[in-house]
Amino acid sequence: MRTVYGTAAGCDNPTMSDPDVFDDLLASLGGFYRSWLIYLGLELGLFEALRSAGADGLTSAELAAATETHRDAIDLWSWAADAHQLAELEDGRLRVDPDVAATLLDRDRTDYLGGQFVHGVVATLDWDGMLDFFRTGTTIGERPDRYRTAIERLTQQDIAVFFQEALAELPQAVAELSQGGRVVDVHCGGGRWLIAMARRFPKIQLVGVEFEEDSVARARQHVEEEGLGDRIRIVQAPVSKLTEPGTYNLVYFQYALHQLPDAVAGLRTAWEALAPGGRLIVLDWPLPSDPEEFRTRHGELIAGVQLDELYQGTSLATRERFSSWFAEAGLPEPALIDLPSGASLFVAER
Ligand SMILES: C[S@@+](CC[C@H](N)C(=O)[O-])C[C@H]1O[C@@H](n2cnc3c(N)ncnc32)[C@H](O)[C@@H]1O
């Protein structure tokens, strides 16, 4: 089909679209199916199995056996993955490129995209009311637990960004935390950042505050599995219940401040919880302020995420909005650090 529309004859035919426009839109449609193929490959362990097989690759029968999946479905996935350049099918054996596998599977990379695909697909399972939202403004209200589990996969990238990009910008904080201190993660989700922090800074004590019941249960389970119950405490509460003034050396919000019903009050409470010399750090993915910034791959992704946010009654925020929340809360103007990944840090010291 592409060959026909891409010919010079196609360009001159007024009943056919511009081949570039057609090609671009067709790629987007393919991208929709590609996202599903990636999601299936991640959730069913297909990419993991292929990576383990290395250069030998696997036949689809071997892949189905290794992942305990349905043979016919894996036959389809194999040639579809090849068509979408997610793997290469040659002489009946399927191989995954190491770079593709790393970008989709390695959670400690700042360019880890596996969580983005899981979140993108899982979030859209809830979009049956999206048309209604556009007509009436009615938001989704409650989301199923699977959504927050997917968020935990998504924010694995945030954790990589924090450790590799953010800490490189904060040498003083690293030096202080290495000596010990108390740290709180506000709306900690499944607690993965707390666990990573506990490992990186063996002398600190940590608290995770989270208000969603299923996330609290996951966070407590992960902490227990890691044997860190003596250093990490998970408290079920909203940020407004963070009532230990002057206690913490670091209060952290990861991809959470913009979702709070009252971000200003959240910041004020967080600030009061800081000990003298303590730091308030917000890591988030700001909404571009400049239309040009939307016209990038990153901007396309942010636009999709914002669709999901608005539908659930929350919103991403611009850098200016984050700064204005600090001002409204009566806090000092935070240092704004734009990180290479596209995330931003807002840092205020008490
Ligand atoms: C996108 S999640 C991020 C979770 C975690 N920080 C992470 O990085 O995985 C946003 C967090 O904001 C919290 N949150 C969302 N809406 C909220 C609300 N209305 N009140 C209080 N907390 C809320 C959720 O419980 C969730 O933990």
Side-chain angles (χ1 to χ4, degrees):
M1 185 164 57
R2 175 68 191 88
T3 328
V4 174
Y5 282 84
T7 58
C11 292
D12 296 338
N13 186 335
T15 65
M16 286 185 183
S17 16
D18 176 327
D20 288 343
V21 171
F22 180 85
D23 204 36
D24 184 49
L25 291 174
L26 196 60
S28 303
L29 190 57
F32 173 80
Y33 294 113
R34 197 170 193 237
S35 294
W36 261 97
L37 289 165
I38 292 172
Y39 172 70
L40 291 166
L42 291 168
E43 293 302 81
L44 298 171
L46 307 177
F47 289 116
E48 282 285 8
L50 287 171
R51 175 153 79 173
S52 298
D56 290 345
L58 295 171
T59 63
S60 58
E62 288 166 346
L63 182 57
T67 54
E68 296 179 4
T69 44
H70 184 57
R71 171 70 201 274
D72 292 348
I74 296 301
D75 266 344
L76 153 64
W77 190 87
S78 299
W79 65 253
D82 176 78
H84 282 266
Q85 297 174 42
L86 298 169
E88 198 183 352
L89 187 60
E90 212 178 276
D91 301 328
R93 301 193 77 78
L94 191 64
R95 297 172 185 85
V96 68
D97 179 279
D99 279 339
V100 172
T103 308
L104 292 175
L105 294 174
D106 292 346
R107 298 171 183 203
D108 55 351
R109 289 171 66 117
T110 57
D111 62 355
Y112 166 64
L113 283 180
Q116 295 274 7
F117 281 101
V118 169
H119 171 259
V121 168
V122 172
T124 58
L125 298 178
D126 301 338
W127 284 16
D128 52 335
M130 186 65 91
L131 284 173
D132 193 42
F133 166 67
F134 268 79
R135 293 191 180 111
T136 67
T138 306
T139 55
I140 183 175
E142 283 296 301
R143 292 200 90 140
D145 292 356
R146 69 177 177 220
Y147 179 78
R148 288 176 288 275
T149 305
I151 286 279
E152 189 181 321
R153 301 275 290 277
L154 174 74
T155 58
Q156 292 278 353
Q157 185 189 10
D158 298 24
I159 297 170
V161 166
F162 179 84
F163 281 92
Q164 290 169 52
E165 297 182 357
L167 287 187
E169 299 283 344
L170 303 165
Q172 188 59 32
V174 172
E176 288 170 20
L177 290 168
S178 300
Q179 300 305 311
R182 297 196 63 195
V183 171
V184 61
D185 183 3
V186 185
H187 296 300
C188 66
R192 299 284 186 193
W193 180 84
L194 291 163
I195 290 167
M197 280 293 280
R199 288 216 184 102
R200 172 73 176 76
F201 299 106
K203 293 183 184 164
I204 58 173
Q205 289 289 325
L206 305 102
V207 174
V209 177
E210 172 55 59
F211 106 124
E212 297 282 3
E213 202 168 316
D214 59 302
S215 293
V216 168
R218 271 183 294 109
R220 286 184 177 151
Q221 187 190 336
H222 296 150
V223 167
E224 198 179 312
E225 282 165 3
E226 299 293 327
L228 288 166
D230 55 334
R231 294 182 53 212
I232 304 176
R233 189 163 53 93
I234 305 293
V235 178
Q236 184 169 5
V239 61
S240 55
K241 295 284 183 299
L242 185 66
T243 49
E244 293 165 292
T247 303
Y248 293 100
N249 306 95
L250 170 59
V251 179
Y252 182 58
F253 288 88
Q254 178 172 279
Y255 197 51
L257 185 65
H258 73 267
Q259 288 198 352
L260 301 190
D262 188 343
V264 173
L267 280 177
R268 217 176 273 133
T269 313
W271 188 250
E272 281 161 15
L274 281 177
R279 282 180 189 77
L280 171 58
I281 301 182
V282 174
L283 184 145
D284 221 304
W285 298 82
L287 200 60
S289 311
D290 170 4
E292 277 309 313
E293 219 189 316
F294 271 115
R295 295 182 185 131
T296 60
R297 288 269 190 249
H298 180 71
E300 286 178 3
L301 182 65
I302 292 276
V305 172
Q306 176 72 336
L307 202 52
D308 189 67
E309 292 262 355
L310 292 189
Y311 174 52
Q312 72 170 3
T314 58
S315 175
L316 296 173
T318 60
R319 292 172 182 77
E320 293 76 16
R321 187 114 182 82
F322 277 104
S323 295
S324 76
W325 284 334
F326 277 77
E328 283 172 52
L331 272 55
E333 190 180 339
L336 164 62
I337 305 169
D338 287 329
L339 300 171
S341 55
S344 293
L345 278 186
F346 301 85
V347 184
E349 282 180 39
R350 177 144 195 162

